[in-house]
Amino acid sequence: MASQEVQEMLGVSRTRAYQITNSKTFPDPAANLSVGRIRLAEDVERWIRDHRPDLQDREA
């Protein structure tokens, strides 16, 4: 899952998504590619369930 997908799942700006994804609680990237950091979808979904339950409906 690329940064833009995380941004869309969270419904936030690119700047806010950057802040969230760089927080200590957010899952570490599964890979660091030339196009950016890639995270596993299940890790991001778990983080949303644990830290942003108000966004669970957006996962689908």
Side-chain angles (χ1 to χ4, degrees):
M1 172 170 288
S3 296
Q4 184 173 355
E5 293 170 301
V6 173
Q7 175 185 340
E8 291 170 3
M9 277 185 94
L10 294 172
V12 296
S13 69
R14 183 171 55 178
T15 300
R16 183 65 182 133
Y18 177 82
Q19 293 169 339
I20 292 170
T21 58
N22 283 295
S23 72
K24 291 180 182 180
T25 64
F26 206 77
D28 290 331
N32 289 310
L33 306 177
S34 61
V35 295
R37 297 175 179 160
I38 305 300
R39 290 177 169 81
L40 298 176
E42 56 265 22
D43 290 345
V44 174
E45 291 165 358
R46 185 179 320 108
W47 185 89
I48 289 173
R49 279 193 306 274
D50 294 345
H51 297 275
R52 299 287 302 269
D54 57 308
L55 298 179
Q56 282 189 297
D57 292 338
R58 292 187 184 191
E59 282 184 33

